[in-house]
Amino acid sequence: MIKEPEAPVTTPITTSSKQLEADFPLIFERAKPGRRAAHPPVREGADLADLLGADNLRQSPPKLPEVSELDLVRHYTQLAHRQMSIDANAYFLGSCTMKYNPKVNEEAAKLFADIHPYQDPDSVQGALELLYNLQSYLEQITGMDAITLQPAAGAHGELTGILMIRAYHDANGEGDTRTKVIVPDGAHGTNPATATMVGYKVVEVPTAASGEVDINALKDVLDESVAAIMLTNPNTLGIFETNILEISRLAHEVGAQLYYDGANTNAIVGRARPGDMGFDVVHLNLHKTFTTPHGGGGPGTGPVGVKAHLADFLPKPRIKQEVTTDGTRFDFDEDIPHSIGRMRSYYGNFGNLVRAYTYICALGCEGLKDVSGMAVLNANYLRIKLKEAGYNVPFDRINMHEFVAQPPDGLKTLDIAKAMLDYGVHPMTVYFPLVVKEAMMVEPTETESLETLDAYAEVLADVLKRAEHDPDFLHEAPFDTPVRRLDEVKAARQPVLRYASEPS
Amino acid sequence: MIKEPEAPVTTPITTSSKQLEADFPLIFERAKPGRRAAHPPVREGADLADLLGADNLRQSPPKLPEVSELDLVRHYTQLAHRQMSIDANAYFLGSCTMKYNPKVNEEAAKLFADIHPYQDPDSVQGALELLYNLQSYLEQITGMDAITLQPAAGAHGELTGILMIRAYHDANGEGDTRTKVIVPDGAHGTNPATATMVGYKVVEVPTAASGEVDINALKDVLDESVAAIMLTNPNTLGIFETNILEISRLAHEVGAQLYYDGANTNAIVGRARPGDMGFDVVHLNLHKTFTTPHGGGGPGTGPVGVKAHLADFLPKPRIKQEVTTDGTRFDFDEDIPHSIGRMRSYYGNFGNLVRAYTYICALGCEGLKDVSGMAVLNANYLRIKLKEAGYNVPFDRINMHEFVAQPPDGLKTLDIAKAMLDYGVHPMTVYFPLVVKEAMMVEPTETESLETLDAYAEVLADVLKRAEHDPDFLHEAPFDTPVRRLDEVKAARQPVLRYASEPS
Amino acid sequence: MHYLPHTPEDIAHMLEVIGVDSIDALFADMPQALHNPNINVPAGLDEVSLLNHLRDLAAKNQTPTGGLLGGGTRQHFIPSVTPHLAMQSEFVTAYTPYQPEVAQGLLQATFEYQSMMAELTGLPISNASMYDGASSVAEAALLAVRQTKRKRVVVSTGVHPEAREVMATYLKPLDIAISEVNLEQLTTSTDVISNELGDDVACVIVQNPNFLGYLETMPTLAEATHDVGALFIAVVDPLSLAVLASPAEYGADIAVGDGQVLGNPTNFGGPSFGFMTVTDALLRQLPGRIVGETTDVDGKRAFVLTLQAREQHIRRSKAKSNICSNHQLAALMATVNMAALGPQGLVELATSSVRAAHTLANKLEASSLNVLRGTFFNEFVVQTNRPATDVRRLLAEHNIHAGVPVSPSYGLGDAIILAATELTQDDDIINLVDALSEIDANIDANQVDTPVEKVLEVAHD
Amino acid sequence: MHYLPHTPEDIAHMLEVIGVDSIDALFADMPQALHNPNINVPAGLDEVSLLNHLRDLAAKNQTPTGGLLGGGTRQHFIPSVTPHLAMQSEFVTAYTPYQPEVAQGLLQATFEYQSMMAELTGLPISNASMYDGASSVAEAALLAVRQTKRKRVVVSTGVHPEAREVMATYLKPLDIAISEVNLEQLTTSTDVISNELGDDVACVIVQNPNFLGYLETMPTLAEATHDVGALFIAVVDPLSLAVLASPAEYGADIAVGDGQVLGNPTNFGGPSFGFMTVTDALLRQLPGRIVGETTDVDGKRAFVLTLQAREQHIRRSKAKSNICSNHQLAALMATVNMAALGPQGLVELATSSVRAAHTLANKLEASSLNVLRGTFFNEFVVQTNRPATDVRRLLAEHNIHAGVPVSPSYGLGDAIILAATELTQDDDIINLVDALSEIDANIDANQVDTPVEKVLEVAHD
Ligand SMILES: Cc1ncc(COP(=O)(O)O)c(C=O)c1O
Ligand SMILES: Cc1ncc(COP(=O)(O)O)c(C=O)c1O
């Protein structure tokens, strides 16, 4: 493992440089039979063949890596060094709200790590109280009447919400007649995918020149066959849907339900509530707005809030409070008459619910309002700075927590993104939303300082300057990352999806 | 801070590359008045001027950095990436025993982090029991009769030991006549420095061709004016002093005391004991042999063991056990008649004593014996491999846990060391011991795998190969580190030892 | 302002650059009626008060020890080195590896994860993780429906009740029928399953060890399933696969399950992660992210998200699933943990758990408790003279946390599931046996139900 | 084998390469008599048993809360972010930065540390850290002796008793005389000190706030010291310097102290770190490591260990001290913590502590307890009707950990030092006042000593 220097020798040297060729080893390639890191307690006793029957046993132990503790540590410490992260890099990934994840949340989560979902409820009153409080804080924050904490991610929240809408229409005898879900063409892919999973036909409405949903196009497709409209507000262009109250009126006029994809809540938290906008169902991404870590792509956490008319359709269980003369007691509420059922095992991503709760308690209501204020301030400031740096902003107006830009004509977003890597800066979201060509979707979040925003803009300006001088530079970047541009076609055409151990 | 990419763009690009010039900022340079990271509880109340008197207050608050929590995190996370460490790199620093520091030790230490040194002893019986057990395990491991856990480092242990020896001679009426301390010329600098601090004159004895103390030279200087001989065994060449029993006899014959510098205990732990060799005083470096972390240069921890005749001179307090009919109780023992006094506040580096205790409990006696066995095996193997790679080994015999090599004629150890950095490998100890020219002192420790040793040897071979092809290469390396060769003369001639804030 | 870097001067400067005169002005697009909602959330706290509040809540919980609670989540040994490595902030605060050049850390770790899950289950293709075991069962059923184009799913009631509920929730709007097959004598009968099979069946889903803890005859069940051209879906405890026959060995097409036992704390049930591995034939139907190996322009090995044409961000309404964020960080914990334990450690955990459970069962029987005999792994059923939730509560009063209630739908009367792991010490066993004997004996005569017939012990036990 | 990577095959291969046939053969140089000693240490433990053993020991301790214990070590708020950052394994598992190219992380952090300590104390030169406060006092005295070539040290008994003991231990073999000057009415009298001064005096050492918690008149003491050409050494609580006049402001030549209060847990007394800052004139006499700024070959700013000609590894028997390993990791905790708190946070900690202590004192007096009045910071003395260690033990029985015993040498009779910090809540104060009232009242009449006269309150209080 030494042979791969963390950063290769790049100065011209005359002998061939071995380590430039060396691949970073897999943990399997560092292994050797007989090595081990951890030492569990071992109970002596009967042979498993006697206890379980030899037929039930596997032929040979799984070929997992066998490494010493130090080799294990070196491997995953070095791997951590081959990874950009919020804690080390500016990471303005649009739509993902990559804000600072407070360390105190981790301390809080540790306090609850070892309780079990099937303990006697009287022995987990603290956990239940926390969940109950969180339910009610999220009701307040979203302006909804009831919350389920169960969904495991945003998309899972969407599924929960659309299933409830379907159950609601079913209960109203409209299950068969409402067959469509409307989503804007700028919507995140999970929105149409969710609608399909619930058996709906997806109808896309275009984006108007303003960057908002084309309200006339919406009217054209909105009728009694529509089960729901799914919107993000602000939308994926970072623009607030100014017609939201009108859209809500139109939707409800034809009996459709209005679904709020809460991925962009960071723009409005503490300042405006989807419930007040007329949404019937809301999901929140606690891993975005509420700082729960989701390294590598998850876990998310996607609580769903509903208006009163949908509360009877929530998944089971919710957390209830019982106030008796003996005091207050918390328990699971399984008594939800028309419940859609259950979205996952147990009660949700509890560890992350603790973190989100900790975050809300730290900030309080005023603090939450500052979050959206500073997030929107940062994004607008950066929009101006990127324009100054030479980038296009197709929908150039006051944006919310994020905005979409484009490289100058003739340049590719992909190339810009790759060039940024050498500056130690993580690129923005690229090629999303689909409605903007060469989209660069930038979301700086409220935890970034003015100096970081300025430096980010300088990096982007510098990339353009270099590209002018040396047109090839952009196509070749990055130069200084652990690996350089990857052959993605090969990955898909000849899929290698696991380490193949030698036959032994 | 973005402007300093973690690894600069090193490919030739035609425009000037800003970030190549940028200095990594100091935390002060990331600061801005009014920012803050942490939020302590605040008690309202009277003005300090009223409570303490305005005269006693400082004119203006200290100009410490003011940074947001995310900027703080980025700063120290990025700094961590500018640092080699055992956890990420092979780090065979001779004499320093850079072995793996088990993570479980940290879990153990946390259990005791918040107890206070001035609590009622009955409220810290667990801590006292641990210290008592550790005292007795270290007695067993060293073969000594009594241990003090107080000293804060190896050098501090030396001071403790030599002070005790002086007090002992004083008590015997020989305080004025015994004026010298003998140390080998290969001794660590702390040995002579310690002798001086205790008012002794230092007499150096040379190293024989065997790599051991020149016993005839020793005899020449050994007489009744000698208070002590300080030895490391194995010595700093990694060679066991085969005449140790003879030396002990000679020392005691003239009434001198024999002091064991325990920095090299990793070579013999569990297999041989300084007490059995005839040493009267021993210090251990728990931060070396017993895996307590000492990032950046400390904290060390240097318990001292003595034979019975010196026990009355130990510093206060020690930990005692009282067995009564009510059970066992632990307390501080202040009743040490001729105690030299006190070496530091409280009872020692308790947090590290917990870690060392945890390590000893994990390994047990057999495990300790494996430590020295594998440490010595690794070092001998690597000695052979470096010889094969083209390095000289001046004292070429079976060594213990470390050995000293030299580059081929004409090459400088400093250059070799700098060239290693580009491979992600931390160099060995260089230019120590002083008795070997261009010394390269290599201590691989027992936690390194065969593969790492082979890779290390390959790196050293590769450095020589490159040096042959391109003689300048060695003088210019490293190429790929966060900074390159430093101007050390400038640092000393025009000392800049702190950040100078602008006058405000 | 917690976590915010903005000084008043910063704000003034930025507003000026933007060309508006207040923060509120940035929100002018919002209809007036939406502004200034009344949000009833307590005021913010300093860090000490915050942690004191959380500690007060935590103090109202009792933390189980001894690994006696099962039911899909169990406390197992997690070496200190595992969270230390998996929770490095470079891993924790990254997101989906969209830029592979600077995400090799997590991409490679995920590739290692996929390799380990493939190794454990014997099935060659693993996705990068899913939400949990229950939702993975539902996704597996959907996969089978897509692949076979059939619309009936047969599932044994040995599958975790919550997983069956989740599957029912997912499948309902798609008009997919579910046929539940009850256990016979604690396990799934191949005969009874066979009676349910036909060429309209997309898959058969069986859990091993089943929810009650007993081993199923997976090979015959798989054979019967394949006879009608359906897919066999094995729901497995991945830790058990250290010693039990792998899904590949008995011919499963899909293996799914919950990964908590591989190195995540119990966390009151989440987050853990779901896993799914499949045969090569099912690769293009697999939901969720997949990491593949490739090379970079210099020819170096590198890892990248691949085969994304299955996913929602590319295929939108035609995607195989709507899943986007998965449970990668929990899967990383498992990856590091499996590497820390190695095969030997994993076998030790599984073996010690089985032995502890069998010792517990024997001791309970010796104390005349009604253990239901069968070939069980490290969980098993005990019938009780009181309602299960009462037993659990009374045990909790002894500070013993054990006894997952068995639903009446199993027809076993009042019964609890007990578990044991390598963390179960002899004292834990003795205390549980004593407490349970006391609780079970100490009951009004007229409350006692007749226990159902004791199931015959399986031959080789 | 814990932590060892060697397989039997590895060992065989390596022995072969070396050319010996056993591990024991590698130890052939050791005299036979030394082999196989009988070492009585218990057998090794698996990780669960290991942590259980440590937890059992920890359970025999009571952990203080509320910051009521002082005496040189106090519990203060440490934000979660501090240990997270300071304890990153790249920092924790590095050693002395001998190779600056790959140690800029710790070198720069140490430079930042030096800058912060210079800022706090006002003295321009800081070393990189020392063992603890007490040994730093001894090193400061040695520095003064080297610099002035005088061999008498004057020290106030307001200096921590353990620091004075350590100094005495260090100085004894070097024939340096120590003149201890007793406190008058809780503080050091300039008149009494002046009486001790002469041109044989190397330095005067005064602690502020002194060990009992009271503020010294540092400016006049410094002036008197300088009048005889001696150095003035201020022993200071670094946290107090957030609000108290800095050593530079009152003319100290050297400031030393213990850094625990800046961000290290109490740790039963260690490890924390000692600090030492000095005037420019004393730079070449400073013991310990120092980091300096320079540039690299490309002109980039970089940091490096410098001025090493003072140190043992270069100067050997002529070094300024024998110190080698220092307490860098504890100093790093303080560095990160000061940056986390910033000046505002540090001022808040100090101010809240002072207020809490004064509130406590007022409440105790209101309950007729015998608070010794004077200008105190966040610790002060209460006289008691029982021996101090009894009071402490009885408080511990109320689960209140408070009351550092005052040695009889202070002539204050039975007395304890009480402390308060920003962590002291109103409940802590009430509980302590109640318990102490009860303990102090509830005593045999014939055991009561006459309390010494209550010291007059200082004017501006
Ligand atoms: C706008 C939008 N909607 C939905 C989602 C899906 O959320 P998740 O990834 O948590 O399933 C995302 C995030 O990826 C998003 O940005
Ligand atoms: C041989 C030897 N003696 C003494 C010491 C001094 O130990 P410490 O640095 O803990 O004071 C060292 C370590 O640096 C050493 O290697």
Side-chain angles (χ1 to χ4, degrees), chain B residues 436-484:
Chain B
V436 174
K437 280 208 188 106
E438 300 292 332
M440 304 167 65
M441 186 192 209
V442 187
E443 182 183 7
T445 89
E446 75 282 3
T447 53
E448 298 294 340
S449 63
L450 172 58
E451 290 74 14
T452 305
L453 302 179
D454 283 339
Y456 189 90
E458 269 182 59
V459 165
L460 279 167
D462 202 49
V463 167
L464 292 190
K465 244 182 279 153
R466 291 207 202 185
E468 249 168 61
H469 268 262
D470 177 359
D472 282 342
F473 152 75
L474 266 199
H475 308 307
E476 288 191 23
F479 300 96
D480 210 40
T481 46
V483 298
R484 296 177 55 224

Side-chain angles (χ1 to χ4, degrees), chain B residues 23 483-491, chain D residues 292-304:
Chain B
D23 290 337
V483 298
R484 296 177 55 224
R485 288 208 197 186
L486 278 72
D487 188 343
E488 304 203 8
V489 173
K490 174 177 165 189
Chain D
E293 181 182 316
T294 186
T295 44
D296 77 352
V297 283
D298 299 322
K300 263 205 233 175
R301 177 169 65 188
F303 301 94
V304 67

Side-chain angles (χ1 to χ4, degrees), chain C residues 87-365:
Chain C
M87 293 296 137
Q88 291 176 94
S89 75
E90 294 87 347
F91 292 146
V92 172
T93 69
Y95 197 25
T96 313
Y98 295 123
Q99 300 288 343
E101 296 86 352
V102 293
Q104 287 299 299
L106 282 160
L107 283 162
Q108 178 170 328
T110 304
F111 184 83
E112 292 174 356
Y113 162 82
Q114 292 173 185
S115 305
M116 292 181 193
M117 295 316 296
E119 190 54 45
L120 272 183
T121 60
L123 294 170
I125 313 291
S126 170
N127 69 10
S129 77
M130 317 199 68
Y131 304 139
D132 72 343
S135 61
S136 303
V137 170
E139 289 275 13
L142 288 173
L143 192 166
V145 167
R146 280 196 302 276
Q147 174 74 7
T148 60
K149 304 201 170 59
R150 301 173 176 184
K151 295 202 90 175
R152 189 155 66 90
V153 165
V154 174
V155 61
S156 157
T157 58
V159 174
H160 197 302
E162 299 197 13
R164 285 181 283 132
E165 284 181 61
V166 171
M167 181 172 70
T169 307
Y170 271 61
L171 266 45
K172 176 143 188 275
L174 303 174
D175 289 325
I176 302 167
I178 300 177
S179 309
E180 288 208 345
V181 175
N182 285 330
L183 299 181
E184 306 268 309
Q185 302 208 330
L186 302 173
T187 59
T188 311
S189 150
T190 305
D191 289 349
V192 180
I193 285 276
S194 297
N195 289 341
E196 278 294 342
L197 292 180
D199 61 11
D200 63 332
V201 171
C203 60
V204 173
I205 311 177
V206 183
Q207 180 173 325
N208 187 49
N210 68 25
F211 178 64
L212 302 177
Y214 301 85
L215 298 190
E216 301 282 4
T217 52
M218 299 300 268
T220 56
L221 291 161
E223 214 183 302
T225 303
H226 290 150
D227 283 349
V228 297
L231 301 182
F232 187 64
I233 300 177
V235 184
V236 286
D237 171 342
L239 182 57
S240 76
L241 297 182
V243 296
L244 291 185
S246 72
E249 284 173 297
Y250 47 74
D253 301 283
I254 305 177
V256 289
D258 197 288
Q260 178 271 328
V261 291
L262 289 176
N264 280 276
T266 51
N267 262 332
F268 205 41
S272 64
F273 66 94
F275 61 88
M276 183 182 296
T277 59
V278 299
T279 56
D280 283 318
L282 300 178
L283 167 58
R284 308 273 155 182
Q285 291 295 352
L286 193 61
R289 296 180 182 136
I290 305 177
V291 171
E293 181 182 315
T294 185
T295 45
D296 77 352
V297 284
D298 300 323
K300 263 204 231 176
R301 176 171 64 189
F303 301 93
V304 66
L305 291 174
T306 193
L307 301 170
Q308 300 187 68
R310 302 162 297 105
E311 292 185 66
Q312 47 73 30
H313 63 291
I314 308 286
R315 288 296 282 276
R316 300 178 69 84
S317 63
K318 304 212 164 33
K320 304 299 171 197
S321 164
N322 73 339
I323 191 170
C324 175
S325 289
N326 57 14
H327 275 208
Q328 208 62 59
L329 198 53
L332 177 65
M333 280 281 279
T335 308
V336 175
N337 200 56
M338 282 190 272
L341 288 165
Q344 198 184 338
L346 225 55
V347 167
E348 285 169 358
L349 254 52
T351 306
S352 296
S353 297
V354 171
R355 288 179 180 150
H358 284 255
T359 303
L360 174 59
N362 293 342
K363 293 253 154 81
L364 287 167
E365 272 187 335

Side-chain angles (χ1 to χ4, degrees), chain B residues 71-366:
Chain B
D71 284 342
L72 181 82
V73 167
R74 290 244 172 91
H75 183 71
Y76 289 106
T77 305
Q78 290 172 2
L79 271 188
H81 292 171
R82 295 164 72 84
Q83 179 66 47
M84 277 195 187
S85 64
I86 302 174
D87 277 10
N89 309 90
Y91 204 129
F92 300 176
L93 202 63
S95 209
C96 296
T97 314
M98 298 298 279
K99 60 166 75 172
Y100 175 58
N101 292 177
K103 304 306 168 196
V104 68
N105 294 356
E106 303 304 306
E107 295 309 307
K110 277 181 207 154
L111 299 170
F112 297 83
D114 291 323
I115 54 174
H116 189 281
Y118 285 149
Q119 280 181 250
D120 176 52
D122 285 325
S123 72
V124 284
Q125 286 295 300
L128 295 175
E129 181 176 344
L130 184 154
L131 293 176
Y132 183 82
N133 290 347
L134 182 59
Q135 279 179 183
S136 70
Y137 296 168
L138 295 180
E139 283 164 19
Q140 289 291 323
I141 290 166
T142 57
M144 308 303 282
D145 298 314
I147 294 274
T148 172
L149 299 171
Q150 219 173 86
H156 205 219
E158 294 173 33
L159 184 58
T160 308
I162 301 299
L163 282 168
M164 288 169 64
I165 288 173
R166 174 143 197 159
Y168 170 79
H169 290 313
D170 277 349
N172 292 339
E174 299 187 336
D176 292 339
T177 54
R178 297 197 180 264
T179 56
K180 299 181 204 152
V181 166
I182 296 177
V183 303
D185 60 357
H188 194 262
T190 51
N191 294 183
T194 299
T196 302
M197 279 188 84
V198 187
Y200 285 120
K201 196 168 149 320
V202 174
V203 179
E204 275 201 1
V205 288
T207 301
S210 62
E212 299 181 39
V213 166
D214 183 330
I215 192 144
N216 293 319
L218 178 67
K219 284 181 190 157
D220 288 348
V221 293
L222 191 55
D223 60 23
E224 250 110 73
S225 72
V226 173
I229 306 177
M230 298 180 83
L231 290 181
T232 315
N233 194 16
N235 64 26
T236 58
L237 295 165
I239 291 172
F240 195 88
E241 297 284 354
T242 56
N243 297 317
I244 185 60
L245 297 175
E246 168 76 352
I247 294 172
S248 160
R249 196 183 54 74
L250 293 169
H252 291 129
E253 241 171 41
V254 299
Q257 297 285 291
L258 199 57
Y259 183 93
Y260 184 81
D261 174 342
N264 292 348
T265 304
N266 217 47
I268 60 162
V269 62
R271 256 170 219 279
R273 315 194 301 175
D276 299 341
M277 298 178 200
F279 285 95
D280 302 289
V281 190
V282 170
H283 88 251
L284 293 175
N285 295 57
L286 299 190
H287 49 303
K288 296 178 180 177
T289 320
F290 297 93
T291 69
T292 72
H294 45 295
T301 304
V304 169
V306 294
K307 291 280 170 63
H309 64 284
L310 291 168
D312 278 354
F313 299 90
L314 284 165
K316 294 192 246 190
R318 293 183 68 233
I319 313 302
K320 68 179 174 194
Q321 185 181 37
E322 292 164 346
V323 185
T324 67
T325 46
D326 293 350
T328 304
R329 191 181 163 275
F330 300 89
D331 206 343
F332 300 107
D333 185 2
E334 304 271 356
D335 184 23
I336 304 177
H338 299 292
S339 171
I340 54 165
R342 180 182 280 282
M343 291 305 296
R344 53 156 295 161
S345 49
Y346 316 121
Y347 328 116
N349 281 338
F350 176 76
N352 282 352
L353 298 169
V354 175
R355 290 173 174 91
Y357 178 76
T358 304
Y359 179 69
I360 294 170
C361 289
L363 266 64
C365 186
E366 277 309 302

